[in-house]
Amino acid sequence: MSLFTNLLNLHSGSKPLEDFFTEIVAYFFSIHQDLLIAWLQQNLIIGDKSYSRITITTQKEHQGLESHTADSRFDILIELSNGLDTDVIIIESKIGSTDGNNALKRYVEILSSLPNVNQRILLYITRNYDPQEEIKTFASKQKTTVNFHQLRWYQFYSFLDKHGSDTLAQEILTFMRSNQMAGKNQFSSIDLLTMMNFNKTLNFMQATLSEEVEAEFKNAFGRVTSGSPSITQWRHHSRYIIYTGLSDGWNLWCGLGYFYLNSDDLTSYPYIGICLEVSPTFKNRPKIIKAMQNIVNDKPEIWTPCGLTVTPDWSSIFYRKTLQEFLSYEDQLCPIKEFFIEAIKELEIVREKYFDFPWKGLSAGEMIQEDMECADNLQQTLSN
């Protein structure tokens, strides 16, 4: 096991794998700037130009443009200068997730708007296959062109394996192997087992969330979204859930089901339960965060916080159990359903006790009306 894996395991609850690995890579490039340039050149991201100054920044915040609804935070920002002009590279890194909040589009627009920049480059590097042809087209059509590139982390692994010779490089390689970032383009035995059992697993998850559980969720929160959207949640957010928006569209929402399905640790178990989450831009966010903190303080044994002190970011609380707790049952369907209903009732209890403003799932008609109003507002904005 690598040093970095041991350090990451010191985090309790959800482990910040993407941010953690970003810091590792950025630090490596800061002390091996020659390898940074060689890596960028090998992948045709930059040419053979010489640079006299290289600046690398992580988690760099940038105020949103007038058309943006939120500020941005770049995983890695690289500035390459030769004394006469500067090239700017934004790196967006994804390991277990995808670009689910249109960050790439915002980064393209920000890069295009930067003054006094020679080359503007957006590099999207992922562990999994996640094509972004629309972003590439969008970047090429900006008033000031942005060069969009895509790479996979296994390509960086291959580069580092050939050119990185120090202890730090070897620790990074070990860490990447343990987190499936060294992947060869081959199916593993685990992949084959997953494919063969996919439908069985999906059908069982659907069964635990259907009928009385779905009815209880709808009765408690006014509306339920399930079916194909649940599959989308699995693909983009590593969770299979039924869910609904609770206030101001989806700025406050709750979801019930299975979380952390694509864990990078093959020995860990997914969680099941209910999640209440608030967006970083919700007007009532301070009140929501305060209520969430009170819930966790009063019931620390059952409610788990996530990101309550981090902004701008999504913040949430979970009422959950690990799936391992249900494996000893001969028939797991009933106890899992019973826990889901228990989780719904627990969220109803804290809603009444800790929140001093109403929140309830929108009806189907209200959702349609909201979509129409959003479309009208967008049309007015474009007309202006």
Side-chain angles (χ1 to χ4, degrees):
M1 185 177 291
S2 75
L3 167 65
F4 297 125
T5 298
N6 290 333
L7 291 174
L8 183 61
N9 285 338
L10 293 176
H11 288 267
S12 59
S14 177
K15 294 179 173 57
L17 175 61
E18 288 179 352
D19 289 344
F20 186 81
F21 188 63
T22 292
E23 297 296 331
I24 294 172
V25 172
Y27 177 75
F28 178 81
F29 280 146
S30 69
I31 62 175
H32 293 291
Q33 295 185 355
D34 57 329
L35 291 183
L36 167 63
I37 297 301
W39 177 61
L40 293 173
Q41 290 176 339
Q42 176 178 295
N43 290 285
L44 304 180
I45 295 170
I46 61 173
D48 295 330
K49 188 191 307 182
S50 297
Y51 297 99
S52 56
R53 182 172 61 86
I54 299 174
T55 304
I56 302 172
T57 310
T58 60
Q59 308 303 328
K60 175 71 173 180
E61 295 194 6
H62 191 285
Q63 184 175 358
L65 302 181
E66 188 174 346
S67 60
H68 295 173
T69 58
D71 294 339
S72 292
R73 183 170 57 191
F74 311 139
D75 288 340
I76 301 177
L77 176 67
I78 301 175
E79 298 171 89
L80 308 171
S81 175
N82 63 4
L84 297 175
D85 51 38
T86 300
D87 298 336
V88 174
I89 303 172
I90 293 175
I91 298 180
E92 175 72 354
S93 167
K94 294 295 182 184
I95 298 176
S97 60
T98 58
D99 179 40
N101 61 356
N102 292 318
L104 294 176
K105 184 175 182 292
R106 295 200 311 272
Y107 297 171
V108 167
E109 293 171 333
I110 290 171
L111 278 166
S112 183
S113 70
L114 293 178
N116 305 317
V117 173
N118 182 35
Q119 288 195 80
R120 305 152 196 269
I121 299 166
L122 175 58
L123 172 57
Y124 184 50
I125 180 166
T126 63
R127 181 182 63 183
N128 303 321
Y129 178 67
D130 184 25
Q132 295 288 341
E133 289 302 318
E134 290 184 5
I135 294 296
K136 185 175 183 178
T137 301
F138 179 73
S140 67
K141 292 182 177 180
Q142 295 300 297
K143 185 175 181 180
T144 304
T145 300
V146 175
N147 297 315
F148 178 74
H149 298 267
Q150 273 196 261
L151 292 176
R152 299 275 298 280
W153 276 119
Y154 79 83
Q155 294 169 287
F156 173 73
Y157 178 91
S158 297
F159 172 85
L160 190 60
D161 192 32
K162 293 179 180 177
H163 302 284
S165 57
D166 62 4
T167 301
L168 177 57
Q170 297 308 308
E171 288 289 343
I172 293 174
L173 291 171
T174 302
F175 184 78
M176 293 184 74
R177 286 194 297 271
S178 66
N179 288 282
Q180 294 83 53
M181 286 186 279
K184 298 178 180 179
N185 293 318
Q186 298 173 328
F187 287 123
S188 68
S189 57
I190 294 177
D191 296 330
L192 295 176
L193 285 172
T194 300
M195 285 191 289
M196 294 166 61
N197 288 279
F198 177 81
N199 282 337
K200 178 183 177 182
T201 303
L202 176 60
N203 289 337
F204 185 80
M205 289 192 296
Q206 290 173 332
T208 60
L209 290 167
S210 63
E211 299 172 338
E212 65 267 34
V213 173
E214 188 168 324
E216 188 76 26
F217 187 91
K218 185 176 182 180
N219 181 61
F221 307 117
R223 185 177 183 270
V224 60
T225 300
S226 59
S228 296
S230 297
I231 295 291
T232 301
Q233 288 285 320
W234 191 351
R235 177 183 178 187
H236 293 297
H237 302 290
S238 299
R239 59 198 182 204
Y240 185 84
I241 57 174
I242 59 177
Y243 57 96
T244 189
L246 296 170
S247 184
D248 191 19
W250 298 98
N251 279 305
L252 178 69
W253 70 277
C254 70
L256 177 78
Y258 299 79
F259 298 86
Y260 308 121
L261 293 178
N262 294 326
S263 172
D264 299 294
D265 180 3
L266 295 179
T267 64
S268 65
Y269 290 86
Y271 288 99
I272 66 171
I274 202 162
C275 167
L276 178 67
E277 189 167 56
V278 61
S279 80
T281 59
F282 187 30
K283 61 183 178 182
N284 286 317
R285 176 184 171 88
K287 295 172 66 176
I288 297 290
I289 294 295
K290 181 62 176 177
M292 287 178 168
Q293 290 171 335
N294 289 336
I295 292 168
V296 173
N297 289 335
D298 292 347
K299 298 184 173 185
E301 71 282 358
I302 58 175
W303 283 99
T304 302
C306 182
L308 297 192
T309 60
V310 178
T311 54
D313 204 350
W314 289 84
S315 301
S316 54
I317 55 174
F318 289 86
Y319 179 67
R320 69 190 189 185
K321 290 183 178 181
T322 174
L323 195 56
Q324 184 182 21
E325 297 182 45
F326 297 86
L327 297 184
S328 61
Y329 290 95
E330 184 175 350
D331 180 358
Q332 298 166 6
L333 181 65
C334 289
I336 289 177
K337 278 193 166 189
E338 289 171 358
F339 177 68
F340 281 149
I341 292 175
E342 175 187 321
I344 294 169
K345 293 185 181 300
E346 172 61 23
L347 184 54
E348 285 188 285
I349 290 172
V350 299
R351 175 182 62 181
E352 296 298 326
K353 182 176 180 180
Y354 293 91
F355 294 91
D356 60 359
F357 69 95
W359 44 276
K360 193 172 182 67
L362 301 175
S363 68
E366 289 171 324
M367 288 295 291
I368 293 173
Q369 180 62 33
E370 183 178 90
D371 289 343
M372 292 175 62
E373 290 175 357
C374 289
D376 289 340
N377 292 337
L378 177 59
Q379 185 61 44
Q380 292 177 9
T381 300
L382 294 174
S383 298
N384 294 335

